[in-house]
């Protein structure tokens, strides 16, 4: 949607991009674009396809299309930081908490988890294990 602050608050642009992506064959939509993502959900709703939320559980925003959300586990980051301070190991700076550290996950419980079959959960768990072990690497942009 763009790289300016406005890119994260333009639902109409999110919908337009999503319609283009579906025309190119996308059958699941995933965004990382703030409130622009609501347009993604609207496009998914109109096309009756699945969408994935981001940052927090977005199921309530459009329950008929959200199958899960990628979540940032801020609770894990906060806990780790407090523990490091208490144990005298705190070191300021940037700390990346990925799958291996439990810093990111996906919603796999709650009312919409019924849309995640055991096969899908097993596949995601397998991929998470590969990421955590370093067998699979996500390349930076």
């Amino acid at each position: 949607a763009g790289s300016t602050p406005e890119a994260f608050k333009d639902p109409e642009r999110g919908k337009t991009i999503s319609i283009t992506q579906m025309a190119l064959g996308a059958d699941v939509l995933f965004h990382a674009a703030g409130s622009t993502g609501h347009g993604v959900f609207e496009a998914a709703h109109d096309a009756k396809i699945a969408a994935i939320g981001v940052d927090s559980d977005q199921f309530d925003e459009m329950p008929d299309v959200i199958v899960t959300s990628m979540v940032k586990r801020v609770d894990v980051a906060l806990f780790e930081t407090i523990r490091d301070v208490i144990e005298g190991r705190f070191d300021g700076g940037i700390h990346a908490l990925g799958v291996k550290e439990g810093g990111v996950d996906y919603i796999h419980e709650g009312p919409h988890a019924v849309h995640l079959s055991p096969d899908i959960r097993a596949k995601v768990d397998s991929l998470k294990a590969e990421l955590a072990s370093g067998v699979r690497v996500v390349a930076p942009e």
Side-chain angles (χ1 to χ4, degrees), residues 48-135:
K48 297 179 177 35
I49 70 166
I52 299 171
V54 70
D55 294 337
S56 63
D57 185 355
Q58 291 191 293
F59 177 72
D60 290 338
E61 194 167 334
M62 196 150 306
D64 64 321
V65 300
I66 308 294
V67 294
T68 189
S69 296
M70 186 289 303
V71 291
K72 296 175 185 172
R73 296 293 312 270
V74 177
D75 58 328
V76 172
L78 183 60
F79 178 83
E80 295 292 327
T81 300
I82 291 170
R83 186 179 64 195
D84 287 352
V85 168
I86 290 171
E87 295 177 359
R89 296 183 290 122
F90 178 74
D91 185 24
I94 297 172
H95 300 268
L97 301 178
V99 170
K100 179 179 182 179
E101 298 80 15
V104 294
D105 203 353
Y106 74 105
I107 299 294
H108 49 288
E109 298 174 345
H112 56 299
V114 298
H115 299 296
L116 300 172
S117 71
D119 289 345
I120 295 287
R121 290 179 196 215
K123 179 64 175 177
V124 172
D125 288 343
S126 173
L127 291 168
K128 283 173 54 179
E130 289 179 13
L131 286 168
S133 71
V135 169

Side-chain angles (χ1 to χ4, degrees), residues 22 25-30 49-52 67:
M22 289 183 295
D27 54 7
V28 176
L29 299 174
F30 174 66
I49 70 166
I52 299 171
V67 294

